[in-house]
Amino acid sequence: MKRILMIALTALLLLAACGRKDPELPAAMYYWRTTFALSAAERQALRDYGVGRLYVRMFDVVAGEDRKPRPEGSLRFSEPWPEGVEAVPVVFIDRRVFPASEPDTLAQLIVKRVAAMAEHNGLPPVKELQLDCDWTPSTRASFFRLAERATGLMHERGGEVSSTIRLHQLAQDPPPVDRGVLMVYNTGNFKDAGEPNSILTEHSIEPFMKYLKGYPLPLSTALPVYRWDLVFAGPDFRQICRIPEPDDTTLYRALDRNHLLVKSYHSVPSPLNPGGENVRLYPGNTIRREGAPYAILMAVKQRLAKERPGAVRSVVLYHLDENPLKCYKIDEIKELLDSGR
């Protein structure tokens, strides 16, 4: 009987979603660091781009040694939240917490913890909570139950719930939430030495376009404005790093536009572990430099608009970081964020 009721409720939610339009929301960006501290350039970027909301990662939910879920990497606030910008808390949920955790209880803990963190740190009232989980067929039922319960709790508070949607998830039933944000990045295999650009290419999104038009959930679109450098030893992937001085000919030799050969031993920062241990580079290592040029981003946006115009009425850029944003002109970022209204 429980299973029948769950199926019926999901069907009703899907029917309701089909009747809702893709949202038209303020220009938005993600903030994906462990400390909330904006540089002067990043604060200026919010003003220059007309950003009205920030999707801000609050904490991860991971499985502890006892398999029970616990929060990890909670965001610390070292400065006040910017005035006039809506905050959308995001919680990443490691799928390994399922099925050991009880979805209803976990949903209550997430909603309660997000509300407490927002109030404690002086964030505006939370109107939306976003859940980020790369669910699989074996964990889908548990995550959907959690999403359904979290959505109900947020509705009681006068808010709503969104969920990130990976491209491969477009072929599956949508989670029982108010709307989704389609993550149009990390479309290739970054560990493959022969991959031209694992962040985004026009070709890589094509297999999923047949599912986009009829996907029964209102959608926004997330596009990448980040960069990273991938280290390989021969064909084997080693680490992700950030090369601060790629033009230093004592350290590197350019193989082509996107690849460097390491000439001497040294270490460089890791974007995955800022302030922590550096990545060690050895002579003979090759580095593939990846980003998403403006031309590719606009081509992808136009391709999405052709298939489902409403999905690009609200674009969220991933993420707010002054270093990769220097690679774009202000007008380029504004055009990416433009809803076309």
Side-chain angles (χ1 to χ4, degrees):
M1 180 61 71
K2 261 187 178 180
R3 180 174 175 79
I4 293 173
L5 289 173
M6 179 67 177
I7 292 172
L9 179 58
T10 301
L12 287 172
L13 288 168
L14 294 181
L15 285 172
C18 289
R20 287 177 277 158
K21 295 182 179 180
D22 292 319
E24 293 186 0
L25 300 168
M29 300 186 76
Y30 278 97
Y31 185 92
W32 212 263
R33 300 202 287 259
T34 54
T35 300
F36 187 79
L38 300 180
S39 68
E42 288 163 351
R43 286 187 174 274
Q44 186 62 46
L46 295 179
R47 295 189 288 268
D48 289 342
Y49 307 151
V51 172
R53 56 168 38 191
L54 279 178
Y55 287 78
V56 57
R57 176 201 155 278
M58 299 293 272
F59 57 89
D60 301 339
V61 178
V62 301
E65 293 182 1
D66 57 0
R67 301 292 299 168
K68 292 182 179 179
R70 60 179 179 83
E72 183 177 84
S74 296
L75 181 65
R76 294 176 296 172
F77 289 79
S78 65
E79 60 180 62
W81 187 259
E83 291 185 15
V85 177
E86 181 183 348
V88 181
V90 184
V91 176
F92 171 78
I93 303 168
D94 189 328
R95 61 175 178 252
R96 286 173 291 187
V97 304
F98 305 119
S101 62
E102 210 291 312
D104 283 16
T105 302
L106 185 54
Q108 293 175 23
L109 293 172
I110 288 173
V111 171
K112 184 178 180 180
R113 194 170 197 272
V114 164
M117 287 181 66
E119 182 179 1
H120 178 74
N121 292 288
L123 272 63
V126 176
K127 299 178 182 178
E128 177 187 341
L129 165 66
Q130 184 169 105
L131 303 177
D132 179 18
C133 181
D134 189 8
W135 74 84
T136 61
S138 63
T139 57
R140 180 171 56 199
S142 294
F143 173 70
F144 278 28
R145 177 58 188 169
L146 181 152
E148 176 194 344
R149 180 59 175 148
T151 301
L153 292 170
M154 286 300 296
H155 286 178
E156 291 174 5
R157 294 168 176 261
E160 62 178 17
V161 170
S162 63
S163 175
T164 55
I165 307 294
R166 273 76 174 170
L167 284 168
H168 70 85
Q169 293 170 341
L170 287 174
Q172 306 176 46
D173 291 336
V177 295
D178 296 292
R179 58 188 187 84
V181 176
L182 184 63
M183 301 171 69
V184 189
Y185 53 88
N186 288 357
T187 58
N189 180 5
F190 67 89
K191 294 184 178 181
D192 182 358
E195 171 71 49
N197 189 338
S198 67
I199 291 178
L200 184 64
T201 63
E202 295 175 62
H203 174 73
S204 63
I205 69 170
E206 280 304 318
F208 310 100
M209 290 300 94
K210 60 186 176 182
Y211 305 110
L212 179 59
K213 186 174 182 179
Y215 189 71
L217 195 65
L219 289 174
S220 301
T221 295
L223 294 173
V225 288
Y226 64 91
R227 302 184 65 86
W228 59 23
D229 300 307
L230 307 175
V231 183
F232 291 86
D236 300 323
F237 170 76
R238 287 294 182 251
Q239 296 188 72
I240 298 173
C241 71
R242 178 175 292 164
I243 304 297
E245 297 180 283
D247 298 328
D248 188 338
T249 57
T250 65
L251 300 177
Y252 311 104
R253 177 165 65 86
L255 298 176
D256 56 38
R257 185 175 180 180
N258 299 317
H259 291 82
L260 300 173
L261 177 69
V262 178
K263 295 174 65 176
S264 59
Y265 171 81
H266 62 287
S267 62
V268 294
S270 166
L272 304 182
N273 186 26
E277 185 176 353
N278 284 354
V279 174
R280 298 174 182 176
L281 302 180
Y282 296 89
N285 286 164
T286 57
I287 297 169
R288 184 169 75 229
R289 312 205 74 208
E290 291 191 346
Y294 168 73
I296 291 179
L297 290 171
M298 279 305 298
V300 167
K301 182 180 176 182
Q302 290 164 1
R303 180 67 183 93
L304 296 170
K306 181 179 179 181
E307 206 64 44
R308 183 167 172 166
V312 293
R313 289 199 188 104
S314 173
V315 170
V316 188
L317 296 182
Y318 183 91
H319 62 119
L320 181 60
D321 184 335
E322 67 173 293
N323 291 312
L325 286 173
K326 292 175 183 176
C327 299
Y328 304 92
K329 299 176 182 177
I330 292 176
D331 287 346
E332 290 176 341
I333 295 293
K334 291 174 74 172
E335 190 167 359
L336 290 170
L337 290 168
D338 183 22
S339 66
R341 292 193 291 267

